[in-house]
């Protein structure tokens, strides 16, 4: 909302100024001698004249005339006195009327000035109430002002009642009682100068921050802004875990399986080779060679279902990371997925240290009492053994095993040395196919069920009793975990594993697995 630039001046009311004039007339009597003489009785005059005639003739006439003149003079003086009194009274009343008129004029002007001040206050109130986005700050800390003379027919958008005298707020295209303009989060009135909006809903600034400002999933704090004032964070492409960029440099551990960062309020399990494992992945983790054998049988059955049975008995061993790296150094053939290899198909004779018994969880969420033993590999065919990193969830262990089984199948079937993108690509296709079959099957096989019984009898650790994800119906997290492993294969950016998988998947979808393998065997490349 922009600032109001049109200033409302004064009121629309018009003031009419009445003018008081001397438009009132007085009816004054006019006196004259004729009128005065008409006031005496003619009979009395005649009687006086007759008496005068009887007593004296000429002298009597003169007396009568003198008496008449005297009477006229007295009457004239009396008339002049009455006229002065009347004029004095009239002047006094006129002065009183003028004084009263002046008083009324002064009162009218006072009322006009008061009305003008009221109108100016109203104009300022309307202007201030429209400044919602960037209102001015005052020391009072309150956006509402009190205007006792304001009146008008306005309906509050909160309670749908009329807003009368007093404070009000105009924003969001409506007017509100102060107590009716409330935060959508805490439902308390908003009295601050500034507030936040989400859609058409108002929030206190701190409530909006609590609900909409992203929090770090690792440290649980609000993600800070960068130097440009923008909120910058990192997010896992699959799990959408949001975290501060600083956690990529402060040594915050990640789960070696799902790759999620360890939250501050959660403890990850520390494996003895330095890896960290979250508790959800630990729930279905396979910890020793004996525990992995049922899964190995399940992968072999999967290959048989594709008419790709492996006839030779190839040993499967679960090993620590150090043993896997040492075996990789002694292997002449093969391509390895750096920076960390989690499976290996061996073709050379060597001695490998395998995990014989599942470790238990000790103090500080560390695995203890791990028992290992050396295993001597003897070359009886093109493949001497398959090695898998221990401590990974069942679905991840199975997808790695399906990948390494494809390496073994290619060598045992006499395929020539292939380019890395072709060999690793087709192996990733088989791992992806197995994950799909597991995800959409909805439950594990009977072989997987037997895996849990053997695992539970091999260890008394707390995690050994939590093997429900290795049999029967899987948990929602394990289903998501399988989708994540598929996502890892599909989104791999390496030329051998990523590009190779996409080319191999395209060929299998177009020509089928059998024809694609035949074409690879003849040409050493994928069909187009």
């Amino acid at each position: 909302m922009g600032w109001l630039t049109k200033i409302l001046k004064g009121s629309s009311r018009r003031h009419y100024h009445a003018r008081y004039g001397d438009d009132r007339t007085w009816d004054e009597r006019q006196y004259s001698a004729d009128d005065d003489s008409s006031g005496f009785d003619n009979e009395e005059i005649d009687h006086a004249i007759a008496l005068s005639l009887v007593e004296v003739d000429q002298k009597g006439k003169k007396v009568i005339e003198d008496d008449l003149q005297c009477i006229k003079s007295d009457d004239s003086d009396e008339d002049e006195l009455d006229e002065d009194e009347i004029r004095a009274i009239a002047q006094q009343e006129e002065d009183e009327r003028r004084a009263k008129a002046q008083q009324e004029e002064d009162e009218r002007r006072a009322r006009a000035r008061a009305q003008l001040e009221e109108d100016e206050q109203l104009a300022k109130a309307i202007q201030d109430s429209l400044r919602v986005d960037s209102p001015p700050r005052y020391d009072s800390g309150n956006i509402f002002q009190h205007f006792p003379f304001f009146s008008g027919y306005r309906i509050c958008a909160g309670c749908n009642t009329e807003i009368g005298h007093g404070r009000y707020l105009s924003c969001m295209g409506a007017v509100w009682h102060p107590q009716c303009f409330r935060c959508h989060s805490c439902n308390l009135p908003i009295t601050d100068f500034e507030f936040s909006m989400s859609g058409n809903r108002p929030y206190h600034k701190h409530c909006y921050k609590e609900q909409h400002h992203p929090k770090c999933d690792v440290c649980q704090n609000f993600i800070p802004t960068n130097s440009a004032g923008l909120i910058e964070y990192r997010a896992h492409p699959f799990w959408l875990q949001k975290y501060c960029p600083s956690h990529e440099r402060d040594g915050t551990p990640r789960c070696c399986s799902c790759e999620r960062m360890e939250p501050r309020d959660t403890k990850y399990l520390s494996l003895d080779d330095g890896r960290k494992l979250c508790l959800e992945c630990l729930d279905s983790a396979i910890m020793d060679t004996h525990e992995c054998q049922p899964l190995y049988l399940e992968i072999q059955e999967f290959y048989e279902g594709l008419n790709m049975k492996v006839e030779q008995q190839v040993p499967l061993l679960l090993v620590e990371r150090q043993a896997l790296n040492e075996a990789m150094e002694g292997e002449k053939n093969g391509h390895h997925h750096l920076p960390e290899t989690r499976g290996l198909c061996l073709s050379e004779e060597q001695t490998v240290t395998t995990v014989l018994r599942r470790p238990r969880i000790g103090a500080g969420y560390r695995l203890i009492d791990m028992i290992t033993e050396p295993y001597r590999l003897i070359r009886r065919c093109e493949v001497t053994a398959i090695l898998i990193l221990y401590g990974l969830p069942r679905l991840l262990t199975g997808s790695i095993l399906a990948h390494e089984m494809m390496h073994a199948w290619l060598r045992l079937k006499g395929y020539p040395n292939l380019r890395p993108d072709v060999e690793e690509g087709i192996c990733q296709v088989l791992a992806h196919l197995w994950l799909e079959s597991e995800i959409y099957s909805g439950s594990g096989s009977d072989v997987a069920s037997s895996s849990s019984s053997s695992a539970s009898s091999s260890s008394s650790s707390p995690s050994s009793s939590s093997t429900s994800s290795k049999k029967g119906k899987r948990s929602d997290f394990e289903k998501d975990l399988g989708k994540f492993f598929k996502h890892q294969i599909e989104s791999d950016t390496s030329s051998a594993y990523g590009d190779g998988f996409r080319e191999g998947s395209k060929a299998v979808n177009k020509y089928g697995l059998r024809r694609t393998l035949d074409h690879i065997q003849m040409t050493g490349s994928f069909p187009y």
Side-chain angles (χ1 to χ4, degrees):
M1 181 183 298
W3 292 94
L4 181 64
T5 57
K6 184 178 180 181
I7 306 301
L8 303 177
K9 294 183 178 180
S11 172
S12 61
R13 298 188 181 95
R14 295 181 180 179
H15 301 287
Y16 297 94
H17 297 273
R19 298 184 62 187
Y20 295 91
D22 296 331
D23 54 356
R24 182 176 178 181
T25 60
W26 293 86
D27 294 330
E28 298 179 354
R29 294 180 60 187
Q30 302 296 326
Y31 298 94
S32 65
D34 293 337
D35 292 334
D36 293 340
S37 63
S38 62
F40 295 95
D41 192 347
N42 291 329
E43 293 181 359
E44 293 178 356
I45 296 173
D46 293 339
H47 178 70
I49 294 172
L51 290 176
S52 298
L53 290 175
V54 174
E55 294 176 359
V56 83
D57 45 357
Q58 294 297 326
K59 184 179 180 180
K61 290 181 179 179
K62 184 177 180 181
V63 173
I64 292 173
E65 288 178 358
D66 292 337
D67 290 340
L68 290 174
Q69 184 66 32
C70 181
I71 293 173
K72 289 181 180 180
S73 177
D74 293 340
D75 290 342
S76 177
D77 292 340
E78 182 180 359
D79 291 339
E80 289 178 0
L81 179 61
D82 293 341
E83 183 178 353
D84 292 339
E85 291 178 354
I86 292 174
R87 286 178 180 176
I89 294 172
Q91 184 64 37
Q92 182 180 0
E93 291 180 354
E94 180 67 17
D95 293 340
E96 291 177 355
R97 187 181 76 253
R98 287 178 179 274
K100 183 177 180 182
Q102 184 64 37
Q103 183 181 359
E104 292 177 353
E105 177 68 12
D106 293 341
E107 292 177 354
R108 181 195 60 75
R109 290 179 180 178
R111 289 194 299 271
R113 283 195 299 269
Q115 185 64 49
L116 181 61
E117 292 177 359
E118 175 191 349
D119 293 340
E120 290 176 353
Q121 287 182 349
L122 175 59
K124 184 177 182 297
I126 295 174
Q127 180 184 358
D128 290 342
S129 67
L130 294 176
R131 297 175 180 174
V132 176
D133 290 340
S134 299
R137 294 185 178 274
Y138 300 99
D139 294 336
S140 61
N142 197 310
I143 59 175
F144 303 108
Q145 302 295 329
H146 185 70
F147 304 106
F149 299 105
F150 170 75
S151 63
Y153 190 75
R154 295 171 182 259
I155 300 299
C156 174
C159 63
N160 293 323
T161 61
E162 182 181 357
I163 299 177
H165 299 283
R167 301 188 304 166
Y168 72 98
L169 177 65
S170 175
C171 63
M172 298 171 58
V175 290
W176 311 73
H177 290 113
Q179 67 273 16
C180 295
F181 189 64
R182 295 177 175 265
C183 173
H184 185 71
S185 175
C186 66
N187 199 36
L188 294 177
I190 300 176
T191 58
D192 301 327
F193 276 109
E194 296 179 351
F195 61 93
S196 300
M197 292 283 296
S198 177
N200 291 325
R201 296 170 176 175
Y203 292 84
H204 289 111
K205 294 187 71 175
H206 61 275
C207 291
Y208 181 87
K209 187 174 183 179
E210 284 288 342
Q211 287 204 355
H212 297 90
H213 189 111
K215 277 189 175 182
C216 176
D217 293 331
V218 175
C219 63
Q220 305 301 320
N221 296 324
F222 290 113
I223 296 177
T225 56
N226 58 18
S227 57
L230 302 176
I231 299 174
E232 180 182 357
Y233 61 88
R234 304 288 184 265
H236 193 280
F238 181 84
W239 302 108
L240 302 180
Q241 183 188 41
K242 299 186 294 293
Y243 54 90
C244 304
S246 60
H247 296 317
E248 293 184 337
R249 305 181 298 272
D250 62 8
T252 300
R254 290 180 181 269
C255 175
C256 64
S257 170
C258 65
E259 297 184 350
R260 294 180 300 174
M261 279 192 167
E262 179 184 53
R264 294 288 187 264
D265 57 352
T266 304
K267 194 70 175 177
Y268 281 7
L269 180 69
S270 298
L271 305 181
D272 61 350
D273 55 11
R275 291 177 293 148
K276 290 276 190 172
L277 191 66
C278 72
L279 301 183
E280 289 86 355
C281 291
L282 175 65
D283 185 60
S284 63
I286 298 178
M287 290 295 188
D288 59 47
T289 298
H290 178 71
E291 188 178 351
C292 193
Q293 297 307 311
L295 179 60
Y296 186 25
L297 294 177
E298 184 180 344
I299 301 297
Q300 289 176 336
E301 291 178 359
F302 172 74
Y303 270 80
E304 288 183 20
L306 298 174
N307 295 319
M308 298 171 61
K309 184 177 180 180
V310 178
E311 301 293 342
Q312 292 83 352
Q313 293 296 321
V314 179
L316 168 68
L317 305 174
L318 255 64
V319 298
E320 298 178 88
R321 184 162 58 180
Q322 182 179 354
L324 187 64
N325 293 336
E326 291 174 354
M328 186 171 57
E329 292 176 359
E331 183 68 17
K332 297 179 181 178
N333 301 322
H335 310 284
H336 313 298
H337 194 183
L338 299 177
E340 182 179 43
T341 297
R342 294 181 289 191
L344 191 62
C345 180
L346 298 179
S347 58
E348 303 292 334
E349 289 188 351
Q350 53 181 301
T351 300
V352 178
T353 301
T354 181
V355 179
L356 183 63
R357 194 182 72 181
R358 179 189 185 102
R360 64 184 181 88
I361 300 176
Y365 270 76
R366 300 188 64 87
L367 290 181
I368 60 175
D369 296 340
M370 175 181 287
I371 298 178
T372 61
E373 67 175 4
Y375 191 96
R376 178 64 184 175
L377 300 178
I378 300 175
R379 183 181 175 90
R380 294 186 176 90
C381 59
E382 293 298 319
V383 179
T384 58
I386 293 176
L387 306 183
I388 304 294
L389 189 63
Y390 91 102
L392 300 178
R394 176 184 174 275
L395 289 177
L396 180 55
T397 303
S399 65
I400 296 172
L401 183 53
H403 177 102
E404 300 302 332
M405 277 279 289
M406 190 61 192
H407 280 299
W409 188 88
L410 291 173
R411 295 178 190 178
L412 293 173
K413 295 301 179 180
Y415 277 66
N417 291 331
L418 302 173
R419 297 197 318 267
D421 61 315
V422 176
E423 183 169 350
E424 299 297 342
I426 194 64
C427 290
Q428 287 290 76
V429 168
L430 267 293
H432 192 269
L433 288 175
W434 181 81
L435 281 172
E436 281 188 333
S437 68
E438 287 294 300
I439 292 172
Y440 297 118
S441 65
S443 63
S445 63
D446 293 335
V447 177
S449 177
S450 64
S451 168
S452 63
S453 61
S454 62
S456 60
S457 61
S458 63
S459 174
S460 60
S461 65
S463 60
S464 65
S465 61
S466 179
T467 56
S468 60
S469 58
K470 302 177 189 177
K471 61 182 179 180
K473 187 176 181 180
R474 297 189 186 91
S475 65
D476 291 338
F477 175 78
E478 192 171 6
K479 293 177 184 178
D480 291 338
L481 198 59
K483 295 176 183 178
F484 167 65
F485 297 144
K486 277 185 59 182
H487 168 78
Q488 279 188 310
I489 295 174
E490 296 164 355
S491 60
D492 197 314
T493 58
S494 64
S495 58
Y497 290 83
D499 295 340
F501 164 75
R502 285 180 280 275
E503 289 295 327
S505 179
K506 180 180 178 181
V508 170
N509 290 334
K510 185 175 181 179
Y511 300 106
L513 179 59
R514 184 75 262 170
R515 292 180 61 185
T516 300
L517 291 174
D518 292 341
H519 189 276
I520 292 174
Q521 189 173 27
M522 290 185 296
T523 65
S525 62
F526 292 117
Y528 293 99

